[in-house]
Amino acid sequence: MEQPLVSVIVPVYNAGDHIARCIESIKRQSYQNLEIIIVNDGSKDVSLHVCEMYARVDKRILLIDKANSGVSATRNLAMDMAKGKYLQFVDSDDYLAPDATRLLVEAAEANQADLVIAPYYRVEKTKPLFAKEEDSYQTIQQFGFLEKGFYDKHAFAKGLMKEPASFYYGVMWNKLYRRDMVQSHDIQCSEELCWSEDLLFNLEYIRYAARFYALDEPVYYYVKNPQSLVSTQVTLRNTFKILSVKASLFAYYKNLYEEMGLYEENKLQIFKYLVAVAEA
């Protein structure tokens, strides 16, 4: 099978402790026809130096260094520069399974899929009470909701309604997208939202996509970080801001499902999204 070019997009901000693991997991993919677009978003640690080292030894890496502007603007810049048939996203503190890109691309090509979605592993570092740091250990859980196979737009939308607040549907890093669809419909990550910008991107993409495929093999290791945006933003101080974002996304959900003729049968689940906590 011909190996179409895949643009792997990695936004980086103060990821010095993790970025080498992330880049190594991409470099060592069994699928090799990659362009790896790493965008340093004004990091203040050693992240840029690590990325520069990798860019010197792997010609597939395009490294961009810019002032800090946030993850959405960073992803949008990388998407504008991408040349691949497909887009794949990796967060700098996470890492890919060895066959991740191959499995995603093979499914997309074999099924002419506009979007491929896959389960993922959540990696959580835990430490028993009063234990030393070196005594901590990792727990790994698998998350995924769709059975393996092809889905049309209505079937995929109904599956989403079963878990409207899940990372499985909401994030960008367990999916493969067609770049031509993103460009032709000018789909971007919202630079106004401070939270759930991934979900809005996906809802906008679903509006135009027609063919979906679900894998049953996890492709991604999501490392749960207590200092991550998801973990730190859900505080009392930010409650009203988050509720405002949810209200906007609810309106988008409602409009999208009305267009598909699926709103009435799913409105209770859409309302559930308003009160649900994002589930990793």
Side-chain angles (χ1 to χ4, degrees):
M1 182 189 80
E2 180 186 355
Q3 286 202 340
L5 181 66
V6 178
S7 300
V8 183
I9 293 173
V10 187
V12 178
Y13 179 71
N14 289 351
D17 291 340
H18 318 289
I19 187 60
R21 177 182 63 190
C22 175
I23 296 174
E24 285 289 344
S25 77
I26 301 169
K27 281 170 48 65
R28 297 181 182 185
Q29 285 296 295
S30 59
Y31 190 98
Q32 289 287 296
N33 193 18
L34 309 174
E35 65 166 0
I36 306 168
I37 305 176
I38 302 174
V39 187
N40 180 57
D41 187 31
S43 296
K44 297 177 176 63
D45 64 0
V46 300
S47 296
L48 178 59
H49 300 299
V50 175
C51 294
E52 287 173 335
M53 178 190 70
Y54 277 104
R56 284 195 293 268
V57 299
D58 194 326
K59 64 181 181 180
R60 298 174 301 170
I61 294 177
L62 170 62
L63 175 60
I64 303 162
D65 182 34
K66 66 175 185 63
N68 180 260
S69 59
V71 66
S72 290
T74 301
R75 285 173 172 164
N76 289 338
L77 174 62
M79 285 190 283
D80 287 342
M81 303 189 73
K83 297 180 175 65
K85 180 177 181 178
Y86 297 107
L87 299 175
Q88 185 179 5
F89 296 85
V90 185
D91 284 354
S92 57
D93 48 358
D94 301 333
Y95 54 103
L96 295 176
D99 293 319
T101 304
R102 178 183 65 79
L103 291 170
L104 291 166
V105 173
E106 287 180 354
E109 292 284 289
N111 298 278
Q112 298 182 322
D114 300 319
L115 177 74
V116 181
I117 187 171
Y120 65 94
Y121 294 113
R122 184 181 72 186
V123 182
E124 187 169 3
K125 193 172 184 179
T126 57
K127 185 171 67 172
L129 191 62
F130 306 123
K132 298 178 181 179
E133 182 63 30
E134 57 266 26
D135 294 330
S136 62
Y137 57 91
Q138 290 184 330
T139 57
I140 297 180
Q141 292 178 276
Q142 179 176 326
F143 290 84
F145 298 108
L146 289 176
E147 292 185 5
K148 183 178 181 179
F150 173 81
Y151 294 81
D152 63 17
K153 186 195 294 283
H154 280 215
F156 186 81
K158 288 181 177 180
L160 193 162
M161 280 297 96
K162 294 177 182 178
E163 297 290 343
S166 73
F167 277 20
Y168 176 76
Y169 288 108
V171 298
M172 297 169 69
W173 36 249
N174 66 328
K175 301 172 180 68
L176 190 75
Y177 305 86
R178 279 177 41 200
R179 183 175 65 91
D180 62 348
M181 182 168 291
V182 170
Q183 290 193 328
S184 62
H185 297 288
D186 193 25
I187 304 172
Q188 294 190 325
C189 296
S190 172
E191 297 179 25
E192 287 73 43
L193 291 184
C194 63
W195 184 73
S196 283
E197 63 275 6
D198 288 30
L199 176 58
L200 182 58
F201 181 94
N202 287 328
L203 291 176
E204 181 71 5
Y205 192 89
I206 291 168
R207 183 183 296 275
Y208 302 106
R211 301 177 63 85
F212 301 80
Y213 194 86
L215 294 171
D216 61 357
E217 184 171 340
V219 301
Y220 194 90
Y221 288 85
Y222 158 61
V223 181
K224 189 173 176 62
N225 178 4
Q227 301 305 316
S228 70
L229 193 63
V230 172
S231 299
T232 57
Q233 280 194 329
V234 185
T235 64
L236 183 60
R237 190 176 75 176
N238 292 326
T239 296
F240 290 110
K241 185 181 292 186
I242 291 171
L243 287 176
S244 175
V245 171
K246 282 205 165 197
S248 299
L249 287 171
F250 170 78
Y252 199 96
Y253 254 133
K254 183 175 184 291
N255 179 259
L256 176 62
Y257 277 70
E258 282 178 338
E259 286 182 5
M260 291 187 288
L262 296 173
Y263 176 68
E264 288 301 320
E265 66 183 274
N266 290 288
K267 60 184 178 182
L268 291 179
Q269 285 298 99
I270 297 177
F271 275 105
K272 176 184 173 183
Y273 167 75
L274 280 173
V275 298
V277 176
E279 299 169 6

Tab-separated table of all heavy atoms in Angstrom, residues 249-268:
chain	number	residue	atom	x	y	z
A	249	LEU	N	-20.876	25.800	23.640
A	249	LEU	CA	-20.758	24.501	22.984
A	249	LEU	C	-22.094	23.781	22.925
A	249	LEU	O	-22.389	23.060	21.964
A	249	LEU	CB	-19.717	23.644	23.699
A	249	LEU	CG	-18.271	24.083	23.476
A	249	LEU	CD1	-17.336	23.323	24.392
A	249	LEU	CD2	-17.864	23.878	22.027
A	250	PHE	N	-22.925	23.986	23.965
A	250	PHE	CA	-24.264	23.400	23.941
A	250	PHE	C	-25.048	23.935	22.741
A	250	PHE	O	-25.718	23.174	22.032
A	250	PHE	CB	-25.006	23.718	25.235
A	250	PHE	CG	-26.470	23.361	25.187
A	250	PHE	CD1	-26.879	22.049	25.342
A	250	PHE	CD2	-27.439	24.328	24.956
A	250	PHE	CE1	-28.224	21.706	25.268
A	250	PHE	CE2	-28.776	24.002	24.891
A	250	PHE	CZ	-29.172	22.684	25.050
A	251	ALA	N	-24.961	25.236	22.503
A	251	ALA	CA	-25.665	25.835	21.366
A	251	ALA	C	-25.155	25.239	20.053
A	251	ALA	O	-25.943	24.989	19.122
A	251	ALA	CB	-25.480	27.349	21.384
A	252	TYR	N	-23.841	24.986	19.985
A	252	TYR	CA	-23.274	24.405	18.777
A	252	TYR	C	-23.738	22.960	18.609
A	252	TYR	O	-24.122	22.536	17.515
A	252	TYR	CB	-21.750	24.463	18.832
A	252	TYR	CG	-21.113	24.311	17.475
A	252	TYR	CD1	-20.744	25.417	16.728
A	252	TYR	CD2	-20.901	23.042	16.919
A	252	TYR	CE1	-20.181	25.278	15.478
A	252	TYR	CE2	-20.347	22.901	15.668
A	252	TYR	CZ	-19.988	24.023	14.951
A	252	TYR	OH	-19.447	23.867	13.703
A	253	TYR	N	-23.705	22.204	19.709
A	253	TYR	CA	-24.244	20.843	19.701
A	253	TYR	C	-25.681	20.838	19.177
A	253	TYR	O	-26.050	20.071	18.287
A	253	TYR	CB	-24.268	20.300	21.137
A	253	TYR	CG	-23.215	19.266	21.486
A	253	TYR	CD1	-22.473	19.378	22.657
A	253	TYR	CD2	-22.991	18.154	20.687
A	253	TYR	CE1	-21.526	18.421	23.014
A	253	TYR	CE2	-22.059	17.193	21.038
A	253	TYR	CZ	-21.328	17.336	22.201
A	253	TYR	OH	-20.400	16.389	22.546
A	254	LYS	N	-26.507	21.687	19.751
A	254	LYS	CA	-27.930	21.748	19.406
A	254	LYS	C	-28.120	22.035	17.925
A	254	LYS	O	-28.886	21.344	17.231
A	254	LYS	CB	-28.624	22.814	20.246
A	254	LYS	CG	-30.135	22.923	20.034
A	254	LYS	CD	-30.726	23.933	21.016
A	254	LYS	CE	-32.252	23.986	20.906
A	254	LYS	NZ	-32.690	24.583	19.626
A	255	ASN	N	-27.404	23.023	17.416
A	255	ASN	CA	-27.522	23.387	16.013
A	255	ASN	C	-27.086	22.247	15.096
A	255	ASN	O	-27.752	21.925	14.103
A	255	ASN	CB	-26.687	24.641	15.740
A	255	ASN	CG	-26.743	25.066	14.280
A	255	ASN	OD1	-25.822	24.803	13.506
A	255	ASN	ND2	-27.822	25.725	13.904
A	256	LEU	N	-25.968	21.603	15.432
A	256	LEU	CA	-25.448	20.509	14.623
A	256	LEU	C	-26.429	19.345	14.574
A	256	LEU	O	-26.706	18.790	13.504
A	256	LEU	CB	-24.102	20.040	15.184
A	256	LEU	CG	-23.443	18.830	14.509
A	256	LEU	CD1	-23.128	19.127	13.066
A	256	LEU	CD2	-22.174	18.422	15.260
A	257	TYR	N	-26.981	18.987	15.739
A	257	TYR	CA	-27.885	17.839	15.782
A	257	TYR	C	-29.249	18.167	15.184
A	257	TYR	O	-29.927	17.275	14.662
A	257	TYR	CB	-27.984	17.313	17.220
A	257	TYR	CG	-26.823	16.390	17.554
A	257	TYR	CD1	-25.534	16.888	17.699
A	257	TYR	CD2	-27.003	15.017	17.663
A	257	TYR	CE1	-24.458	16.055	17.967
A	257	TYR	CE2	-25.941	14.164	17.926
A	257	TYR	CZ	-24.665	14.693	18.066
A	257	TYR	OH	-23.610	13.854	18.313
A	258	GLU	N	-29.651	19.419	15.228
A	258	GLU	CA	-30.874	19.820	14.524
A	258	GLU	C	-30.686	19.677	13.015
A	258	GLU	O	-31.598	19.216	12.312
A	258	GLU	CB	-31.236	21.263	14.879
A	258	GLU	CG	-31.888	21.418	16.242
A	258	GLU	CD	-32.184	22.865	16.597
A	258	GLU	OE1	-31.536	23.771	16.007
A	258	GLU	OE2	-33.050	23.094	17.459
A	259	GLU	N	-29.519	20.061	12.519
A	259	GLU	CA	-29.229	19.922	11.090
A	259	GLU	C	-29.310	18.470	10.641
A	259	GLU	O	-29.724	18.180	9.513
A	259	GLU	CB	-27.836	20.470	10.778
A	259	GLU	CG	-27.724	21.980	10.801
A	259	GLU	CD	-26.328	22.442	10.427
A	259	GLU	OE1	-25.489	21.576	10.067
A	259	GLU	OE2	-26.074	23.653	10.487
A	260	MET	N	-28.908	17.543	11.518
A	260	MET	CA	-28.926	16.119	11.167
A	260	MET	C	-30.260	15.460	11.488
A	260	MET	O	-30.438	14.268	11.257
A	260	MET	CB	-27.791	15.399	11.908
A	260	MET	CG	-26.408	15.780	11.427
A	260	MET	SD	-25.100	14.757	12.170
A	260	MET	CE	-25.099	15.371	13.851
A	261	GLY	N	-31.202	16.217	12.061
A	261	GLY	CA	-32.494	15.656	12.433
A	261	GLY	C	-32.429	14.733	13.623
A	261	GLY	O	-33.282	13.856	13.785
A	262	LEU	N	-31.420	14.942	14.488
A	262	LEU	CA	-31.193	14.043	15.623
A	262	LEU	C	-31.383	14.735	16.969
A	262	LEU	O	-31.168	14.117	18.010
A	262	LEU	CB	-29.764	13.473	15.562
A	262	LEU	CG	-29.425	12.578	14.369
A	262	LEU	CD1	-27.935	12.246	14.376
A	262	LEU	CD2	-30.260	11.311	14.390
A	263	TYR	N	-31.813	15.993	16.967
A	263	TYR	CA	-31.837	16.734	18.228
A	263	TYR	C	-32.893	16.218	19.194
A	263	TYR	O	-32.612	16.002	20.384
A	263	TYR	CB	-32.049	18.231	17.979
A	263	TYR	CG	-32.171	19.018	19.265
A	263	TYR	CD1	-31.073	19.161	20.117
A	263	TYR	CD2	-33.388	19.577	19.663
A	263	TYR	CE1	-31.173	19.857	21.310
A	263	TYR	CE2	-33.498	20.274	20.850
A	263	TYR	CZ	-32.394	20.406	21.669
A	263	TYR	OH	-32.505	21.085	22.850
A	264	GLU	N	-34.106	16.046	18.742
A	264	GLU	CA	-35.198	15.677	19.643
A	264	GLU	C	-34.912	14.381	20.391
A	264	GLU	O	-35.164	14.271	21.586
A	264	GLU	CB	-36.523	15.582	18.876
A	264	GLU	CG	-37.090	16.918	18.447
A	264	GLU	CD	-37.354	17.849	19.618
A	264	GLU	OE1	-37.838	17.372	20.677
A	264	GLU	OE2	-37.066	19.050	19.498
A	265	GLU	N	-34.361	13.402	19.688
A	265	GLU	CA	-34.100	12.114	20.343
A	265	GLU	C	-32.850	12.133	21.220
A	265	GLU	O	-32.631	11.216	22.017
A	265	GLU	CB	-33.989	10.995	19.293
A	265	GLU	CG	-32.795	11.127	18.365
A	265	GLU	CD	-32.768	10.044	17.297
A	265	GLU	OE1	-32.228	8.954	17.583
A	265	GLU	OE2	-33.285	10.292	16.190
A	266	ASN	N	-32.046	13.177	21.091
A	266	ASN	CA	-30.797	13.242	21.857
A	266	ASN	C	-30.696	14.453	22.775
A	266	ASN	O	-29.654	14.658	23.408
A	266	ASN	CB	-29.602	13.267	20.887
A	266	ASN	CG	-29.393	11.946	20.174
A	266	ASN	OD1	-28.957	10.971	20.764
A	266	ASN	ND2	-29.720	11.928	18.902
A	267	LYS	N	-31.762	15.243	22.904
A	267	LYS	CA	-31.630	16.502	23.638
A	267	LYS	C	-31.319	16.288	25.119
A	267	LYS	O	-30.613	17.100	25.733
A	267	LYS	CB	-32.872	17.375	23.472
A	267	LYS	CG	-34.177	16.796	23.950
A	267	LYS	CD	-35.313	17.767	23.622
A	267	LYS	CE	-36.660	17.222	24.027
A	267	LYS	NZ	-37.759	18.156	23.646
A	268	LEU	N	-31.792	15.188	25.698
A	268	LEU	CA	-31.465	14.942	27.100
A	268	LEU	C	-29.974	14.681	27.272
A	268	LEU	O	-29.363	15.117	28.257
A	268	LEU	CB	-32.282	13.767	27.639
A	268	LEU	CG	-33.786	14.013	27.804
A	268	LEU	CD1	-34.473	12.763	28.332
A	268	LEU	CD2	-34.032	15.196	28.740
